Amino acid sequence: MVKMADYIERSVTRLDEVAARGLELVEPLVERFTLSGCDALRIVASGSSKNAADIARPLLQRSLGREVQVVTPEAFIDFEHAQPANAFNVAVSQSGYSTNTIAALDFMAEHDLPCAALTANWAAPISEHAVCVFDYGVGVESVDFVTMGVHVLVSYLMLFGIEAGERMGALDAAEADRLRECLHVAGKACASGISAARALFENQKLALSTQAPAIFVGNGALRGVAQEAALKFSETTKVPAMWFEGEEFIHGPEMQIKPGYLVVIIDDAGGSERLAGIARGIHSVTDTCYLITAHPEGLAHEVAIEASASEVYPFAALAFIQYLAAQIADALKSWDVHPYLDAVDDAFASKAPGYDESVHELERRAATVYGDSAGA
């Protein structure tokens, strides 16, 4: 059986594959957006897809020279659809079965809003609710706790911004070429994060297995990584997990910290003295405080990751978080929810009918594509 860790490792080569055929993937959305006449972009997504969009957002906004929003389907329907008034809407659902994203697409259709949908599953119900549905290149990922799909969506959105920005004159050719080259080494950055997580867990397995509350901190694009970290740890290790920007963290949330808490502070790509100082202070309270950084100074609580450019640094940090969660969940066998919760799961189902069958089909395809040995 193919497991979460297998898909994280597969992300390394998948990012290379997506970069090689990037223009082919993004061209349909680039054309639709550039011809729309819209002067803003709004991405409507939830869960890991929203977190991926938040990671890509800084580069997207810089490349497009336009306002970029990332909102949940609920907020979009309630009020976020109003401003900016002339925005192009992109709804994202990797599974294609997310009922809240489908509801947002129905709202777009009812109000004649310019839009497109992104998915990894053309055969899913999302195709019945959108005029344009595009595949963003994930391929097969059968585990509910999506990881490879997060990496691929970040890469797709970044490349979309580069191509559309250059076409509209917001990004000059030299910078566009530099950014494209950056995406070609995203897989290498991802591999760095996996190696760092593997080494940390091997060295501190007992401390990381206490199932204490977890807090993740990051700024800018790394805020999206922190959001995804809190989600993944909640899903897989079943611990209360939170995320904050650096300054928000030390404006109250830090008051709960006590020995045993897991605190992961993701350094800025260029290095931040402020975040490094916060990490040093928190590490004096709990041994399981780590600073994830590309600029280590040799301190015990630092975890070094490598990235050749700031634009691909989030891929390294993201892979680190994903792989650490997968290792802890494997060690603790914490994948299943409490039986009482499992018994009422149908009461708040978030997927359209047919989702379970689609997962079984993905599992069958994964066994064919990757082989049973991939999950051994």
Side-chain angles (χ1 to χ4, degrees), residues 13-25 155 159 183-184:
T13 53
R14 192 60 180 169
L15 283 168
D16 293 341
E17 294 163 358
V18 168
R21 58 186 287 248
L23 184 58
E24 169 198 342
L25 285 169
S155 178
L159 184 58
L183 292 183
H184 279 279

Side-chain angles (χ1 to χ4, degrees), residues 188-213:
K188 184 177 180 181
C190 180
S192 169
I194 293 171
S195 296
R198 187 183 289 122
L200 180 66
F201 187 72
E202 287 174 358
N203 291 331
Q204 302 197 32
K205 182 183 297 185
L206 291 180
L208 289 167
S209 300
T210 57
Q211 289 192 298

